[in-house]
């Protein structure tokens, strides 16, 4: 079976949660499902397509992208992967959830990585460390389907905000330059919010990227 991608939108922050599928197994990127209704919607999709989750991947440790982590780890006994540089923010998730009046169950201990090439089960992909929006921000690139999951680093027509803790505009621009230099332009881009796009489209039309070339 060729690799496939499903997208679901969750929580009040409208986070894109992605399910990358291969051979009836799947990786879950940025699980935003929060509350019983969203959790049921998520599990219904997995049941419909007979999918077995093998891991959760976090693009960056902001609350809205991790609200479904406790539910998934409890339901499927799977590990959650984050970049080592994001561990401190990950451990602060309950501080932020209290600020927003959101009740998040205890977060599991994550699996921290620093390497740029990873293999989880039969999923081979690359990671690019792209700080600037948040410490620990990474993009996941799947060469087999030429797809890039950018979290909140790059959106269709825009980039991530840099006014939150550990954000830095100059650092983010350097990260975007790295993306442009490292990833083929025809790559499909799946951001953490909003519609999908291509790297070529963003290089040509995104006002934050046009001057980087």
């Amino acid at each position: 079976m060729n690799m496939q991608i499903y997208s679901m939108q969750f929580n009040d922050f409208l986070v894109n949660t992605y399910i990358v599928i291969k051979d009836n197994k799947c990786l879950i990127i940025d699980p935003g499902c929060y509350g019983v209704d969203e959790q049921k919607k998520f599990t219904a999709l997995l049941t419909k397509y007979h999918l077995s989750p093998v891991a959760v991947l976090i693009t960056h440790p902001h609350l809205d992208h991790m609200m479904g982590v406790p539910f998934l780890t409890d339901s499927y006994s799977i590990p959650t992967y984050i970049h080592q540089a994001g561990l401190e923010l990950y451990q602060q998730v309950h501080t932020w959830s209290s600020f927003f009046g959101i009740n998040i169950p205890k977060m599991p201990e994550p699996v921290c990585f620093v390497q740029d090439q990873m293999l989880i089960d039969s999923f081979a992909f690359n990671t690019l460390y792209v700080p600037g929006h948040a410490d620990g921000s990474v993009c996941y690139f799947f060469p087999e389907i030429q797809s890039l999951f950018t979290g909140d680093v790059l959106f269709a027509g825009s980039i991530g905000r840099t006014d939150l803790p550990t954000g830095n505009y100059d650092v983010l621009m350097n990260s975007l330059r790295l993306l442009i230099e490292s990833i083929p332009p025809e790559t499909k881009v799946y951001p953490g919010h909003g519609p999908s796009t291509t790297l070529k489209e963003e290089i040509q039309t995104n006002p934050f990227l046009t001057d980087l070339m």
Side-chain angles (χ1 to χ4, degrees):
M1 174 180 166
N2 293 329
M3 205 175 286
Q4 296 177 287
I5 299 169
Y6 283 97
S7 174
M8 307 179 78
Q9 195 176 74
F10 290 123
N11 68 52
D12 291 342
F13 300 95
L14 303 180
V15 167
N16 291 330
T17 294
Y18 297 103
I19 304 170
V20 183
I21 303 165
K22 186 177 183 181
D23 300 327
N24 293 109
K25 296 181 179 180
C26 64
L27 297 175
I28 303 159
I29 300 176
D30 288 354
C33 46
Y34 179 70
V36 174
D37 289 344
E38 292 190 345
Q39 292 166 358
K40 287 182 176 178
K41 181 179 177 181
F42 182 87
T43 54
L45 186 143
L46 265 59
T47 300
K48 178 180 179 180
Y49 294 104
H50 308 288
L51 301 176
S52 298
V54 296
V56 172
L57 304 179
I58 301 298
T59 60
H60 64 291
H62 278 167
L63 168 67
D64 50 333
H65 293 256
M66 303 192 298
M67 290 167 72
V69 166
F71 165 72
L72 291 180
T73 54
D74 288 346
S75 298
Y76 301 102
S77 300
I78 54 177
T80 296
Y81 288 79
I82 66 166
H83 192 278
Q84 177 67 43
L87 181 59
E88 184 174 349
L89 282 179
Y90 180 91
Q91 294 171 336
Q92 295 172 357
V93 65
H94 287 102
T95 299
W96 286 99
S97 62
S98 297
F99 178 80
F100 286 103
I102 297 171
N103 180 28
I104 301 293
K106 183 180 179 181
M107 297 287 283
E109 284 297 317
V111 178
C112 295
F113 64 86
V114 294
Q115 66 267 40
D116 57 7
Q117 293 184 325
M118 295 183 68
L119 178 66
I120 298 177
D121 202 274
S122 61
F123 296 89
F125 56 97
N126 300 331
T127 68
L128 290 88
Y129 182 49
V130 285
H133 173 68
D135 283 353
S137 286
V138 293
C139 292
Y140 298 106
F141 177 57
F142 289 76
E144 184 177 336
I145 49 175
Q146 210 149 338
S147 296
L148 181 73
F149 299 88
T150 58
D152 289 0
V153 170
L154 177 64
F155 304 120
S158 189
I159 62 174
R161 58 191 296 181
T162 57
D163 59 339
L164 296 172
T166 73
N168 184 294
Y169 180 81
D170 292 335
V171 172
L172 179 57
M173 297 310 290
N174 286 334
S175 294
L176 292 168
R177 188 175 288 107
L178 170 67
L179 275 186
I180 292 172
E181 294 172 350
S182 305
I183 303 298
E186 58 272 18
T187 296
K188 191 73 175 287
V189 172
Y190 294 92
H193 305 267
S196 59
T197 181
T198 65
L199 193 56
K200 182 179 180 180
E201 177 72 14
E202 297 312 303
I203 291 170
Q204 292 176 343
T205 65
N206 189 319
F208 295 95
L209 269 60
T210 52
D211 292 337
L212 291 181
M213 294 300 291

